[in-house]
């Protein structure tokens, strides 16, 4: 378990961490999620000891490490741009932490063999970093970080520099790796999809503060405020409410829309809107709409519903929110 208590960090007059307290359970994969500049990296680097807090404390497995240097905290760290030793082979890069600890060669060979197998680089042990792809290099970085049996693995946007496909593959791979190795892992990301996909807990940061901590389902389904709701998925503004696009039902007929069993506290009721665009997304269809007061929003409906309604551009439909809605006090992040 990692415990951060009342952490504060200022750069000049700017509060990068503004009284942050967070428990990270042992064996969890926790994502620190937030927009650029929200303090994610500062928090991670403070846990690592690469940044000194102005006040507050960090404990790792019950030990107060606030004043300890990084090398005494029992952590492994992987950055977005991993600084591999270019003149060393993959094997020697992974073995580095063990070699400087003067472990016996047989032990190092065994450990490195196991790790290369876990990260899927068995056939690459004699290559140099320049002969690896970006994704392979990050996997090597993870193997190197894991070699010294850290209590905690800290990952700062480890897949941030990779293309979308490799990124998706690697985060699924990270999830499987974590299920195998169970080391307490903290992952910094600004990508809500990545956090939802890979983490078992997510802490959402905004302006140096933690907005909410919870498992992915809780955060998505029961966001505690509009910022979290807007950051964790698409939102549409319907009247003065924020709703998820797939929580909007469309009907041709106002009476049918009114008849929907849809009473949500503060629901804006039935809103007539003109279809501006119908976008097939594969499994679902996104319907872009405009109200008579000129407000635009998007609904996401099943292909079946879209076919039943025979949605055409320029036609008026009746929209109704059936899921959780939330009173607007922030700009929606995306539609
Ligand atoms: N060494 C520094 N000196 C001055 N300001 C800093 C320093 N490091 C970070 N900051 C500021 O602190 C704030 C938080 O930075 P941090 O890197 O923690 O954010 P982040 O959430 O990780 O953002 P990103 O996703 O862009 O990396 C930013 O506004 C940043 O400009």
């Amino acid at each position: 378990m990692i415990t951060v208590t009342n952490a504060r960090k200022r750069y000049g007059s700017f509060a990068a961490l503004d009284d942050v307290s967070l428990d990270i359970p042992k064996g969890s994969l926790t994502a620190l999620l937030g927009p650029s500049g929200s303090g994610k990296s500062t928090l991670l680097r403070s846990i690592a000891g690469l940044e000194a807090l102005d006040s507050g404390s960090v404990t790792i497995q019950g030990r107060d490490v606030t004043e300890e240097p990084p090398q005494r905290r029992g952590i492994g760290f992987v950055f977005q741009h991993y600084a591999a030793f270019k003149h060393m082979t993959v094997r020697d890069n992974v073995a580095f932490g063990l070699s400087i600890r003067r472990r016996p060669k047989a032990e190092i060979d065994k450990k490195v063999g196991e790790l290369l197998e876990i990260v899927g680089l068995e056939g690459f042990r004699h290559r140099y970093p320049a002969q690896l792809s970006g994704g392979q290099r990050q996997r090597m970085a993870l193997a190197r970080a894991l070699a010294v049996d850290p209590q905690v693995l800290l990952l700062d946007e480890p897949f941030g520099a990779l293309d979308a496909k490799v990124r998706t593959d690697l985060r699924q791979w990270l999830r499987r790796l974590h299920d195998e190795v169970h080391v307490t892992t903290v992952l910094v990301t600004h990508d809500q999809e990545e956090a939802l996909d890979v983490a078992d807990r997510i802490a959402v940061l905004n302006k140096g503060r933690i907005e909410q901590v919870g498992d992915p389902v809780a955060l998505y389904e029961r966001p505690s405020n509009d910022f979290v709701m807007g950051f964790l998925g698409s939102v549409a503004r319907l009247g003065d409410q924020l709703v998820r696009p797939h929580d909007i039902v469309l009907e041709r007929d106002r009476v049918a829309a009114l008849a929907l069993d849809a009473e949500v506290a503060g629901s804006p009721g039935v809103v007539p809107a003109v279809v501006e665009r119908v976008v097939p997304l594969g499994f679902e269809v996104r319907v872009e709409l405009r109200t008579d007061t000129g407000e635009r929003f998007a609904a996401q409906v099943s292909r079946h519903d879209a076919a039943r309604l025979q949605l055409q551009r320029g036609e008026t439909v009746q929209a109704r929110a059936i899921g959780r809605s939330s009173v607007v006090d922030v700009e929606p992040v995306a539609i």
Side-chain angles (χ1 to χ4, degrees):
M1 161 107 125
I2 305 169
T3 306
V4 178
T5 310
N6 301 121
R8 291 179 190 273
K9 175 76 185 174
R10 300 187 83 85
Y11 295 108
S13 61
F14 180 81
L17 294 179
D18 186 6
D19 198 19
V20 167
S21 294
L22 177 66
D23 284 338
I24 296 167
K26 186 163 192 275
S28 72
L29 199 174
T30 298
L32 304 180
L33 174 69
S36 181
S38 56
K40 309 177 295 289
S41 294
T42 305
L43 179 56
L44 194 80
R45 294 169 63 81
S46 304
I47 295 170
L50 297 166
E51 212 76 72
L53 292 174
D54 299 336
S55 61
S57 65
V58 178
T59 65
I60 297 178
Q61 305 317 28
R63 196 165 62 91
D64 189 332
V65 296
T66 316
E67 304 297 328
E68 301 258 295
Q71 63 274 19
R72 298 250 293 274
R73 294 192 181 199
I75 52 152
F77 206 104
V78 178
F79 300 92
Q80 178 170 351
H81 294 286
Y82 172 56
F85 295 118
K86 294 187 174 58
H87 61 287
M88 287 187 191
T89 61
V90 168
R91 185 255 172 218
D92 289 346
N93 265 284
V94 174
F96 182 77
L98 297 168
S99 304
I100 58 169
R101 283 172 177 75
R102 300 185 185 285
R103 309 302 307 168
K105 184 169 179 309
E107 181 192 321
I108 295 179
D109 284 341
K110 182 165 177 285
K111 183 88 192 177
V112 171
E114 285 167 8
L115 283 164
L116 290 179
E117 195 182 323
I118 288 179
V119 301
L121 291 177
E122 309 93 314
F124 296 79
R125 63 172 60 224
H126 300 302
R127 292 218 189 167
Y128 289 88
Q131 299 169 313
L132 300 177
S133 71
Q136 288 165 344
R137 236 182 323 234
Q138 289 309 84
R139 285 189 274 146
M140 177 180 82
L142 276 156
R144 186 167 113 171
L146 287 169
V148 293
D149 289 325
Q151 292 180 313
V152 172
L153 188 58
L154 303 174
L155 311 174
D156 195 350
E157 300 262 9
F159 313 135
L162 306 171
D163 73 47
K165 170 80 174 81
V166 178
R167 217 183 142 104
T168 317
D169 288 351
L170 273 190
R171 72 189 189 217
Q172 275 151 18
W173 170 85
L174 174 66
R175 181 72 241 176
R176 288 196 300 275
L177 173 82
H178 184 262
D179 290 341
E180 236 172 272
V181 191
H182 293 301
V183 54
T184 309
T185 302
V186 188
L187 168 76
V188 162
T189 180
H190 63 269
D191 178 345
Q192 45 91 9
E193 199 180 302
E194 181 159 288
L196 289 170
D197 192 7
V198 79
D200 41 41
R201 274 166 64 85
I202 301 174
V204 180
L205 275 91
N206 181 30
K207 296 182 181 159
R209 302 185 75 102
I210 291 191
E211 296 277 355
Q212 190 175 359
V213 185
D215 68 69
V217 174
L219 259 67
Y220 190 82
E221 304 273 340
R222 296 181 297 283
S224 62
N225 58 44
D226 289 344
F227 177 83
V228 176
M229 182 166 181
F231 202 74
L232 254 87
S234 302
V235 285
R237 186 202 298 257
L238 204 54
D240 63 351
Q241 305 287 312
L242 283 186
V243 289
R244 298 266 183 234
H246 53 74
D247 283 336
I248 297 174
V249 173
L250 303 178
E251 287 292 347
R252 283 262 167 197
D253 182 53
R254 188 171 166 80
V255 177
L258 281 168
L260 288 168
D261 183 15
E263 247 352 283
V264 178
S267 161
V270 176
V271 177
V274 174
V275 176
E276 291 205 313
R277 210 168 150 231
V278 180
V279 188
L281 300 175
F283 178 62
E284 289 186 313
V285 174
R286 187 173 75 233
V287 189
E288 297 177 1
L289 300 134
R290 184 166 44 82
T291 66
D292 48 13
T293 55
E295 281 174 313
R296 290 195 161 83
F297 65 98
Q300 208 146 316
V301 302
S302 69
R303 279 198 316 183
H304 174 76
D305 275 349
R308 176 175 65 83
L309 293 165
Q310 296 191 313
L311 296 170
Q312 300 286 337
R313 198 177 160 183
E315 287 179 347
T316 299
V317 291
Q318 309 294 327
R320 184 151 186 202
I322 55 160
R324 179 220 183 249
S325 57
S326 136
V327 176
V328 175
D329 66 7
V330 291
E331 282 300 302
V333 170
I335 285 196

